[in-house]
């Protein structure tokens, strides 16, 4: 008896497989699961706009299919989707240049995800730390969708043959899995270079914004304390108050980055300032070395309000006009489908599915 009961693809890794030769494409997504925060803004939204403004074609979608891997109130989901779309637009994405769409409106995501479910290995998914964090102590009560979540993410990316994927650091492992799936598909089906191995762009100026209450925990919408994060819906007074109360320490700011290594809260606040002001952290320290948080926090609050106020005001304006958002999403879904459908048709052919 062999040690395996299910047949697997012949393992014949081609030598010198040709590299992918398609065009440069940037793609990213944000879950439609409620409140966006400063971490999403600095780690993702702001960077998408910068990449768009460099002239790269960008695909930005609202991951509503990922959102339902945990319970979402059906009465609210469509509005949550509109809210993310509003955040894309408010942070500077231009629907004429970038394609903004809801994931569930492009059927090909589900089609490709199924094929990838049959390419990815259980052992690969077993290593995913985000599943472990999100399922907690009750793995057996989690949805199957939560487990295969990274496979759908790989489908999102490869459906458009994206070459670069800007995200915060927390998505790094999912992006590595995407590369593994692309390589295994290309290899198993003998189609070298069919899918690109997308480059993870997880090294932005603030790839991991930390909680304002605990410098060792990521800023996250699931943190029970609202004081831990700055929401994209917070008004100026709330932002100022949250930064004033943010955990810090009694020391003055040092003049080197290394000296912040054992001061996680101080490091986080300096990182946030730098990302908001488009400065390096070294430049921020050069300006504030020797000063304490009594002086630094008001300066940071001013920067945060200055950067966030136009975004939050525009989000509010857009949310008051859902028809305008819906027009953008519908147009985006049509343009996205026009690119995705032929790719999934080709995949079906490669896999050998019946065709008339
Ligand atoms: P999501 O919705 O959790 O987060 C959206 C984006 O925000 C980044 N982010 C952060 N960046 C810095 N500091 C933080 N504290 C912070 N918190 C969140 C995330 O890294 C992400 O870039 N699985 C994805 C959505 C997704 C996706 C994709 C992304 C689905 N398909 C395909 C890229 C490509 C997620 O849950 O992101």
């Amino acid at each position: 008896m062999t040690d395996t009961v299910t047949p697997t693809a012949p393992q014949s890794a081609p030598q010198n497989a040709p590299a992918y030769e398609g065009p440069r494409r940037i793609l990213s997504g944000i879950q439609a699961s409620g409140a966006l925060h400063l971490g999403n803004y600095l780690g993702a939204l702001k960077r998408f706009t910068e990449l768009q403004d460099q002239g790269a074609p960008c695909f930005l979608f609202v991951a509503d299919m990922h959102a339902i891997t945990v319970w979402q109130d059906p009465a609210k989901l469509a509005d949550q989707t509109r809210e993310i779309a509003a955040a894309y637009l408010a942070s500077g994405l231009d629907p004429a240049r970038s394609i903004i769409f809801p994931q569930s409106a492009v059927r090909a995501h589900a089609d490709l995800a199924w094929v990838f479910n049959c390419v990815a290995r259980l052992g690969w998914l077993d290593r995913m730390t985000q599943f472990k964090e999100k399922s907690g102590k009750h793995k057996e009560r989690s949805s199957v969708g939560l487990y295969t979540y990274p496979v759908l993410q790989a489908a999102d990316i490869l459906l458009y043959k994206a070459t670069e994927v800007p995200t915060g650091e927390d998505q790094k492992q999912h992006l590595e899995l995407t590369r593994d799936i692309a390589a295994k598909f290309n290899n198993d089906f003998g189609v070298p270079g069919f899918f690109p191995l997308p480059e993870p762009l997880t090294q932005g100026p603030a790839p991991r914004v930390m909680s304002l209450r605990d410098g060792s925990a990521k800023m996250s919408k699931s943190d029970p304390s609202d004081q831990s994060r700055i929401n994209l819906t917070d008004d100026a007074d709330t932002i100022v108050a949250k930064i004033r109360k943010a955990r810090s320490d009694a020391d003055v700011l040092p003049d080197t980055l290394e000296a912040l290594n054992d001061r996680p809260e101080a490091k986080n606040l300096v990182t946030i300032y730098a990302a908001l002001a488009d400065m390096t952290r070294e430049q921020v320290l050069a300006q504030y070395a020797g000063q304490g948080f009594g002086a630094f926090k008001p300066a940071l609050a001013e920067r945060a309000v200055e950067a966030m106020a136009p975004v939050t005001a525009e989000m509010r304006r857009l949310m008051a006009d859902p028809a305008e958002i819906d027009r953008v999403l519908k147009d985006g879904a049509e343009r996205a489908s026009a690119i995705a459908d032929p790719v999934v048709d080709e995949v079906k052919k490669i896999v050998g599915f019946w065709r008339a």
Side-chain angles (χ1 to χ4, degrees), residues 134-215:
K134 287 191 181 172
S135 59
K137 291 194 195 94
H138 301 291
K139 186 174 155 204
E140 67 288 352
R141 285 193 223 154
S142 301
S143 71
V144 175
L146 188 66
Y147 187 70
T148 62
Y149 177 118
V151 176
L152 176 60
Q153 184 159 346
D156 299 337
I157 297 168
L158 296 170
L159 191 52
Y160 302 93
K161 301 197 173 183
T163 53
E164 287 148 80
V165 188
T167 66
E169 206 174 72
D170 59 351
Q171 297 301 312
K172 200 165 174 222
Q173 201 183 29
H174 292 165
L175 302 185
E176 281 160 6
L177 182 93
T178 299
R179 290 168 64 91
D180 290 343
I181 290 177
K184 184 159 165 58
F185 181 96
N186 290 350
N187 180 41
D188 285 359
F189 292 101
V191 284
F194 180 75
F195 283 123
L197 305 192
E199 221 40 70
L201 305 183
T202 52
Q203 287 308 316
R208 195 173 169 81
V209 177
M210 308 307 276
S211 155
L212 297 180
R213 308 299 298 162
D214 174 0

Side-chain angles (χ1 to χ4, degrees), residues 210-229:
M210 308 307 276
S211 155
L212 297 180
R213 308 299 298 162
D214 174 0
S216 66
K218 189 179 73 169
M219 184 177 284
S220 150
K221 66 172 172 293
S222 53
D223 192 315
S225 165
D226 193 58
Q227 297 297 317
S228 70
R229 63 185 161 261

Side-chain angles (χ1 to χ4, degrees), residues 301-316:
E302 200 179 315
R303 282 283 176 184
V305 170
E306 196 179 285
M308 305 310 295
V311 179
T312 55
E314 180 62 1
M315 265 183 83
R316 262 180 253 127

